[in-house]
C-alpha cells in the first residue's frame, strides 16, 4: 500500500465543517437558464414560486450571483449529528485491483435516511419552520428522499405528508415504516385525497402510480392547504446549493491530507449528489484555478446526458410544474424499471446541464448488471453494501483505476458513495439469481419521446 | 446545552485505536467457572475443544490470566475500515428530556452488518485463515451475526456456511441476501444436510426451526467436514475478549475529553456487547481504581439475570455443546417471540454471570412495548433508527436521565448503541399498528424449565 500515513478514514473536526454553502452558479459565465411559467413561457418570478416553495428557498432558487450563503446555526447543529461524513481511502479496493491509482470515496450513507438526501431535507424543513408553516408535502419513489424529509420534519416538529408511488409503497414496506417512525403520513399515490389523483384513478383504474403523478398530488395539496409548501429532493438549484456541503467537506479533507483529485466521479439522476460533490471543484475550474476530469455516470436505461437533448421541458410528467432548460429525454419518457430508482428521472439539473454543455463535465452510461457486479465486488472488499445508485459511480471508478494499471499512472480518483443498499435487497436478490435484465431504450423510443418536447421559441 | 466544547461525535485518531484486546478474566479474583464436557462433566481441555474451534481461539477461550492480548495487524487493518466507532454526545436527547445529565452512546451500527458483531467475526475468521482452514460454519437467528461473519469470511476468502433458523430465513429475506452478497451459503434450518436436521424434520414435520437446532447443525457440519470449524457470535469468553475493543475505545474517548462515566448501560442477550463495553471499566473496579454503576438490561420475556438461576447448563437447546456455569432460564426455555432476536437466549456469558454474582453489575428487565417507545423517541431526536436490542439500553438510559431531572444531579450516562434497526421494520410496523404484545413468562414456567437443569455435583 502506498502512502501509509493517510488514514483509512479522513474526518474533519467539527470546527472544520463548512459554515457556508457554495453556490456554483455565481461563478458560471453562462448561467443556467431560468425556470419558465408553463402558461406564459416567461421566467418564473419569486411571486409565482411563493405559493409552492418557502420564501427563503425561492430566494435561493433564483440567486445566481451570491457565491457563499451562510448555513444557519440550527442546520449546522443538525449536520453535526451525522456529519462530517468520512472521506475514505479505499486501500482494500486498491490492493484487490492492484492499481497504482489512489481511490477515495466520500461516504454519505451513515445516517438513517441512508443517503445524502438529508443534507437538503433539513435545510428545507428549517426554512419552512422559520416561515411559520405547519407542514410540507413531497413525493417519494424509492423512499430515500421521503425518509430524509420525515427525519428533518420530526426534528423541527413540522407536519410531513409524503405521496409514495403506489408500487413502491407496496413493495418497500420497510421504507414506509421508517417514515412512519418519524411521524410522517405516507399515502400511496395515486390517492383519492386529491383532484389529480381521483382523475388518474378514474382514467387508469388499477394503476400502480408514477413519480410524475405523485409530484402532482403533492403540489396540489401544498398549494391548496393553508400553511403548507411543497419540497423537492433533487434537480432544483436550491438542492444543489445545500448538497454543496458534500463537495466542500471532500475538498477540505483532501486539502488537509495534501491530496489533489485528478478524476471526480458521481452518479447522476436529477443531479443532487453529483452537483453537490463537484460544485467546489467546478468552481475552481470556472475561476481558472485548477483542472479536473469530472465524470457523470447515468444508467443506460435513462441516459439524459448521453442520449438526451438540451432543451426546455417539463420537470414532471403531469406537465403542471415549471419548464426547465435541461438535458432531457422528454417528460413523457418512462424509464424502464431499473433498480436504481433514484436515477430514473427524464431530465437533469439545469445547472449541471449548462456545465455539461459548456464542457466542464463529461458523461457516461453503464448497464444495470455491470453496476451490480461492481457493487458486489466493492461490498466484499470495502465492507459497505452500496445503494444501486451509488454503484454507478463505483463501476466507473473501478474502470478508471484499471486503466491506471495499464498506463502505470498514479491518478487520484475521488467518487461519491451516496448511500447504502439495505432497502434494495430485492434487487440484489434478482442479481444473485441471474434474473436481472439490462434495459436500453432504442433510438426510436427516445426520438419519439423527444418529438413531444414543448415548443419554446 | 452544557459543555459546548465537546463535539457531538468523538472519534479517536487511527493511531489511538486499541492495539490489544483486554481480557477482564485476568483481573477477576473469582474466575468464571470452566466449560464442562457434557459426557464426563470434567472441565473441557484444549484437545477436546480443538475439533470444534480454531486452535488460537481455544487458547483465548481458556486463558484467564493474560490481561492484554495483541490484536494482529490484519485484524487492526480491517477494523480501520469501520472503526473507530463514534462516541456520540446525545445533545439533542438531553435537550429534549431537559435533563442535567450528560448522555453519551457508543454507536456500533455504522457498518454493513449493522451491529458490533463484526468485531469478533473478523477475529474468528482471521484465526481460521491463519490455521489454514477452508471455512467455518455458524448459526444465525435474526441475522446480524451471520451477516458479520459472511463479511469477515469474504475478506479472508474463507468459505462460510450459515444455518439460519427457517422462520427467519423466510421472514428476513433481506438479511439472507446480504449474506449471499458476501458469498456465504445460507441454509434454512432444520435442513436435510445434517443427521440432526433430518432427525428433527422426521420428529417434527413442518417445524420452523430454532437457534438450538441451527447450532447443532452447524456444529455437526464443522466437526464432520475436513478443514472446517464452528464459530459463535456471543456467550464465549473469546467473543467478550474481541468485543473489548468497544469498551477500550469508549474509555479512550472519554479520557480524551476529560469525562468520567457514572453509569454504564448495555443490553444483555448472550453478553457480547455488554461484556465488550464494560470490560475495561470493570477492570478498573476489580483493581480498585474506580467505581461505576453498571446496568445490564434484558427483555422481560427472557430475563436470565433477573429471574434465572446461577448454575451449570447446556449452551444449546440440543444439549450437545459443553455445559457452562451461568445465569440461565434452563436450556429448554423457549423465549416468547420478542422482536429483539439477539436477546432471546436462555443463558448468559459465564464471565458476566460471575461478575453479576459478585455484585459488580446490576440488572433490570424491560418490556417490549416500552422499549419500542424509547426507540422511536430516540430515533426522532437523535436521528438514528436503533435496533430493538440496542433500544433496551436506550430505555434505561432515558429512565436514568429522567431521575437526574428530579435529583438535579449532573450524572454522566454512557450506553452502548449496538446497532441499527433497518432489518427490523416489521417489528416497528407492529408497534405503529398497536399490535405489539408484552410477553412475560410466569413463575411456574421458569420454575418448570429450571427443574430440568443438568445435575452437576
Amino acid at each position: 500500500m502506498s502512502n501509509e500515513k493517510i488514514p483509512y478514514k479522513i474526518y474533519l473536526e467539527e470546527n472544520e465543517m463548512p459554515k457556508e454553502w457554495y453556490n456554483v452558479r455565481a461563478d458560471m459565465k453562462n448561467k443556467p437558464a431560468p425556470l419558465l411559467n408553463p402558461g406564459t413561457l416567461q421566467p418564473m418570478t419569486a411571486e409565482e414560486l411563493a405559493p409552492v416553495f418557502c420564501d427563503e428557498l425561492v430566494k435561493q432558487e433564483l440567486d445566481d450571483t451570491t457565491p457563499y450563503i451562510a448555513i444557519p446555526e440550527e442546520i449546522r447543529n443538525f449536520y453535526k449529528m451525522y456529519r462530517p461524513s468520512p472521506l475514505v481511502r479505499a486501500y482494500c479496493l486498491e490492493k484487490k485491483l492492484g492499481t497504482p491509482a489512489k481511490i477515495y470515496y466520500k461516504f454519505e450513507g451513515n445516517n438513517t435516511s441512508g443517503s445524502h438526501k438529508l443534507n437538503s431535507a433539513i435545510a428545507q424543513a428549517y426554512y419552512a419552520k422559520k416561515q411559520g408553516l405547519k407542514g410540507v408535502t413531497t413525493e417519494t419513489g424509492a423512499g430515500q428522499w421521503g425518509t430524509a424529509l420525515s427525519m428533518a420534519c420530526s426534528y423541527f416538529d413540522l407536519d410531513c405528508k409524503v405521496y409514495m408511488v403506489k408500487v413502491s409503497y407496496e413493495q418497500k414496506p420497510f421504507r414506509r415504516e421508517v417514515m412512519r417512525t418519524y411521524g410522517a403520513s405516507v399515502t400511496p399515490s395515486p390517492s383519492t385525497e386529491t383532484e389529480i389523483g381521483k382523475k388518474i384513478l378514474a382514467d387508469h383504474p388499477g394503476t400502480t402510480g408514477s413519480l410524475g403523478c405523485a409530484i402532482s398530488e403533492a403540489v396540489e395539496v401544498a398549494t391548496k392547504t393553508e400553511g403548507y409548501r411543497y419540497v423537492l429532493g433533487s434537480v432544483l438549484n436550491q438542492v444543489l446549493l445545500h448538497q454543496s456541503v458534500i463537495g466542500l467537506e471532500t475538498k477540505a479533507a483532501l486539502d488537509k491530507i495534501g491530496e489533489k483529485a485528478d478524476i471526480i466521479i458521481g452518479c447522476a439522476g436529477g443531479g443532487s449528489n453529483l452537483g453537490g460533490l463537484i460544485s467546489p471543484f467546478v468552481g475552481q475550474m470556472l475561476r481558472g484555478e485548477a483542472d479536473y476530469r469530472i465524470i457523470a455516470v447515468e444508467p443506460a436505461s435513462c441516459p439524459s446526458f448521453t442520449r438526451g437533448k438540451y432543451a426546455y421541458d417539463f420537470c414532471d410528467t403531469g406537465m403542471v410544474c415549471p419548464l426547465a432548460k435541461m438535458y432531457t429525454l422528454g417528460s413523457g419518457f418512462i424509464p424502464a424499471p431499473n433498480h436504481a430508482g433514484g436515477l430514473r428521472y427524464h431530465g437533469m439539473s439545469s445547472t449541471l446541464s449548462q456545465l455539461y454543455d459548456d464542457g466542464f463535465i463529461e458523461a457516461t452510461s453503464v448497464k444495470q448488471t455491470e453496476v451490480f457486479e461492481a457493487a458486489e465486488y466493492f461490498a466484499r472488499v470495502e465492507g459497505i453494501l452500496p445503494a444501486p445508485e451509488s454503484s454507478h459511480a463505483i463501476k466507473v471508478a473501478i474502470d478508471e483505476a484499471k486503466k491506471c494499471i495499464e498506463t502505470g499512472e498514479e491518478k487520484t480518483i475521488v467518487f461519491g458513495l451516496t448511500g447504502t443498499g439495505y432497502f434494495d435487497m430485492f434487487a440484489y436478490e434478482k442479481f444473485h439469481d441471474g434474473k436481472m435484465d439490462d434495459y436500453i431504450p432504442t433510438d426510436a423510443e427516445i426520438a419519439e419521446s423527444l418529438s413531444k418536447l414543448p415548443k419554446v421559441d
Side-chain angles (χ1 to χ4, degrees), chain A residues 21 54-57 60 69-72 75 120-133 156 158 238 241-242:
Chain A
W21 291 304
C54 303
D55 299 346
E56 195 64 34
L57 293 168
Q60 293 180 358
I69 293 175
I71 308 176
I75 298 174
S120 184
I122 192 65
Q124 297 194 46
Y126 167 77
Y127 291 118
K129 186 69 179 180
K130 201 180 155 203
Q131 195 173 321
L133 297 176
F156 284 124
L158 271 175
Q238 56 185 272
L241 175 72
H242 307 147

Side-chain angles (χ1 to χ4, degrees), chain A residues 161-174:
Chain A
K161 292 183 193 297
V162 180
Y163 290 85
M164 187 169 188
V165 178
K166 192 181 273 176
V167 61
S168 300
Y169 182 91
E170 285 161 2
Q171 287 183 355
K172 297 208 168 190
F174 285 8

Side-chain angles (χ1 to χ4, degrees), chain A residues 34 131 144 160 192 199-200 262 274 322 330 335 340 364 413-414 420 452:
Chain A
Q131 195 173 321
Q144 285 100 328
C160 179
T192 54
K199 185 175 182 309
I200 291 169
D262 295 304
L274 180 70
T364 186
I413 300 169
V414 177
T420 49
K452 292 173 188 157

Side-chain angles (χ1 to χ4, degrees), chain A residues 14-273:
Chain A
E14 203 167 85
N15 57 20
E16 294 170 320
M17 288 171 64
K19 293 178 182 61
E20 299 170 314
W21 291 304
Y22 171 62
N23 181 10
V24 70
R25 288 167 292 162
D27 283 315
M28 289 169 71
K29 274 181 203 161
N30 299 327
K31 305 289 184 192
L35 294 171
L36 298 188
N37 181 311
T40 64
L41 298 186
Q42 295 302 304
M44 291 289 285
T45 62
E47 291 68 35
E48 288 172 325
L49 287 169
V52 182
F53 298 123
C54 303
D55 299 346
E56 195 64 34
L57 293 168
V58 168
K59 223 171 109 186
Q60 293 180 358
E61 190 63 31
L62 299 176
D63 183 348
D64 59 10
T65 56
T66 312
Y68 289 96
I69 293 175
I71 308 176
E73 195 188 347
E74 292 88 336
I75 298 174
R76 285 196 282 128
N77 281 341
F78 187 88
Y79 279 169
K80 287 175 192 168
M81 285 206 291
Y82 70 101
R83 307 198 69 80
S85 69
L87 180 71
V88 185
R89 174 74 184 266
Y91 281 120
C92 295
L93 179 60
E94 293 171 16
K95 194 177 168 188
K96 181 88 173 175
L97 289 168
T99 179
K102 291 185 270 186
I103 308 176
Y104 293 87
Y105 55 91
K106 179 70 169 169
F107 181 42
E108 292 287 321
N110 272 347
N111 71 73
T112 289
S113 80
S115 82
H116 66 293
K117 294 285 181 183
L118 196 52
N119 301 330
S120 184
I122 192 65
Q124 297 194 46
Y126 167 77
Y127 291 118
K129 186 69 179 180
K130 201 180 155 203
Q131 195 173 321
L133 297 176
K134 286 184 203 152
V136 293
T137 70
T138 199
E139 77 291 333
T140 201
Q144 285 100 328
W145 168 246
T147 309
L149 189 68
S150 57
M151 290 175 71
C153 286
S154 163
Y155 185 75
F156 284 124
D157 203 16
L158 271 175
D159 188 36
C160 179
K161 292 183 193 297
V162 180
Y163 290 85
M164 187 169 188
V165 178
K166 192 181 273 176
V167 61
S168 300
Y169 182 91
E170 285 161 2
Q171 287 183 355
K172 297 208 168 190
F174 285 8
R175 277 277 184 209
R176 185 184 73 207
E177 284 309 317
V178 180
M179 290 185 258
R180 284 178 78 197
T181 301
Y182 285 95
S185 80
V186 188
T187 307
S189 169
S191 77
T192 54
E193 290 179 6
T194 64
E195 294 308 314
I196 185 83
K198 279 186 262 190
K199 185 175 182 309
I200 291 169
L201 284 170
D203 294 350
H204 308 277
T207 176
T208 54
S210 72
L211 212 47
C213 167
I215 293 178
S216 305
E217 288 202 85
V219 171
E220 180 183 323
V221 172
T223 50
K224 285 189 179 171
T225 315
E226 179 68 28
Y228 280 75
R229 291 294 184 282
Y230 167 71
V231 296
L232 183 64
S234 190
V235 182
L236 298 174
N237 295 322
Q238 56 185 272
V239 176
L240 265 69
L241 175 72
H242 307 147
Q243 295 295 359
S244 70
V245 69
I246 304 173
L248 291 165
E249 281 187 11
T250 303
K251 189 163 178 316
L254 288 170
D255 290 348
K256 195 173 174 175
I257 56 171
E259 191 77 87
K260 165 148 183 339
D262 295 304
I263 307 174
I264 303 169
I265 301 166
C267 61
S272 71
N273 154 66

Side-chain angles (χ1 to χ4, degrees), chain A residues 274-296:
Chain A
L274 180 70
L277 174 65
I278 68 174
S279 277
F281 300 98
V282 170
Q284 289 183 294
M285 293 167 81
L286 290 163
R287 296 189 303 269
E289 298 167 2
D291 202 21
Y292 303 99
R293 226 188 116 200
I294 293 177
I295 309 175

Side-chain angles (χ1 to χ4, degrees), chain A residues 281-325:
Chain A
F281 300 98
V282 170
Q284 289 183 294
M285 293 167 81
L286 290 163
R287 296 189 303 269
E289 298 167 2
D291 202 21
Y292 303 99
R293 226 188 116 200
I294 293 177
I295 309 175
V297 189
E298 52 187 21
S301 60
C302 194
S304 48
F305 265 150
T306 49
R307 297 176 68 195
K309 191 174 165 185
Y310 191 31
Y312 265 107
D313 194 8
F314 290 98
C315 292
D316 62 326
T317 29
M319 303 193 197
V320 296
C321 291
L323 284 78
K325 191 176 178 191

